[in-house]
Amino acid sequence: MMSVPPYRPGPFDWRHLDQQAASELWVELIDWVEWLRERYDFGRDIRPCWFRHGALVEELTAAMVAHRSSFQQTKDPYHHGPAAWHYQVLRPMMARMPAITDFEQCTQDTCGFTPARVHTLTTIAEYVDADVRQRSESPESGFFADRDSAAAGAAATLSMEKVITAIDNGTAVAEDPSDDFSAVSLDGARYEYDDEAGQYKRTE
């Protein structure tokens, strides 16, 4: 029977942080963002009131986490190091800035940003109920059963060449497309790269 695994939020998931964790993350993020604004001359692009813009806080947090990972890892400094962070994370984020948040009413001294009110139609419960009712009651049939069956027969190990080919033809999906050694899903099974063996090993 397939069930949704429990979610275990990490230290950068703002939605689930308690007071102490949020306080610690704010200290770290503020220090990093102020360094970023000064180092890259982003003072006009990332306004002083950036911390009031929720979506931007999430984006900057993700960029900070990626920056930390890219600058401290040593496996492949070109594909996963500082250079990759600049062209895969920093530049795309800055290019998306107008879509991430609205700084039009903000100045160097005041914040004119007003978050849009989010409204969900009251018919959502009715829609969800109808969606659930039209599904099969048996967990032994359908997509998950087919996937579990396929996973049972999946290979224990895969070569790098086979994984690359599978990703290229769409039969495998990389968890992190920017990581050449990312874990992948193939034939209903999950594989992680083993440095010592030089191949992918099935984990589930």
Side-chain angles (χ1 to χ4, degrees), residues 72-78 80 179-182 193-195:
Q72 71 181 5
Q73 68 83 40
T74 58
K75 180 186 294 183
D76 188 341
Y78 178 75
H80 311 291
D179 183 354
D180 290 345
F181 299 91
S182 169
Y193 187 74
D194 186 312
D195 288 321

Side-chain angles (χ1 to χ4, degrees), residues 4-180:
V4 178
Y7 176 59
R8 297 179 176 83
F12 306 106
D13 188 343
W14 285 103
R15 180 185 178 190
H16 297 281
L17 298 185
D18 58 25
Q19 292 182 0
Q20 180 177 348
S23 177
E24 292 174 355
L25 183 53
W26 271 120
V27 170
E28 184 174 1
L29 182 64
I30 291 171
D31 177 72
W32 186 82
V33 172
E34 292 311 301
W35 166 82
L36 181 76
R37 295 176 69 227
E38 180 178 357
R39 184 66 169 175
Y40 292 87
D41 193 22
F42 286 155
R44 290 180 295 275
D45 302 289
I46 302 177
R47 301 290 175 85
C49 59
W50 61 266
F51 56 89
R52 293 180 177 273
H53 299 242
L56 183 56
V57 169
E58 296 285 354
E59 292 267 3
L60 288 169
T61 301
M64 178 185 71
V65 175
H67 179 270
R68 171 189 292 180
S69 176
S70 296
F71 277 71
Q72 71 181 5
Q73 68 83 40
T74 58
K75 180 186 294 183
D76 188 341
Y78 178 75
H79 289 96
H80 311 291
W85 180 80
H86 282 89
Y87 69 77
Q88 292 179 348
V89 179
L90 180 63
R91 295 306 172 187
M93 180 184 71
M94 297 308 297
R96 296 196 316 273
M97 191 61 66
I100 295 173
T101 193
D102 180 9
F103 277 129
E104 285 191 10
Q105 304 302 319
C106 303
T107 69
Q108 293 297 315
D109 301 309
T110 62
C111 180
F113 174 66
T114 302
R117 296 185 61 184
V118 177
H119 174 65
T120 301
L121 295 178
T122 57
T123 54
I124 187 172
E126 179 182 346
Y127 179 88
V128 171
D129 182 63
D131 175 77
V132 171
R133 287 177 179 275
Q134 58 88 28
R135 297 176 184 274
S136 171
E137 294 183 4
S138 172
E140 303 303 324
S141 62
F143 169 76
F144 291 119
D146 294 341
R147 188 183 71 173
D148 292 343
S149 176
T157 61
L158 296 172
S159 67
M160 173 66 81
E161 291 74 19
K162 183 171 183 178
V163 169
I164 292 175
T165 299
I167 292 176
D168 289 342
N169 63 31
T171 58
V173 178
E175 292 182 1
D176 181 1
S178 66
D179 183 354
D180 290 345

Side-chain angles (χ1 to χ4, degrees), residues 158 163 167 172-175 182-186 189-192 200:
L158 296 172
V163 169
I167 292 176
V173 178
E175 292 182 1
S182 169
V184 299
S185 296
L186 175 65
R190 184 175 183 275
Y191 294 84
E192 291 183 353
Y200 281 82

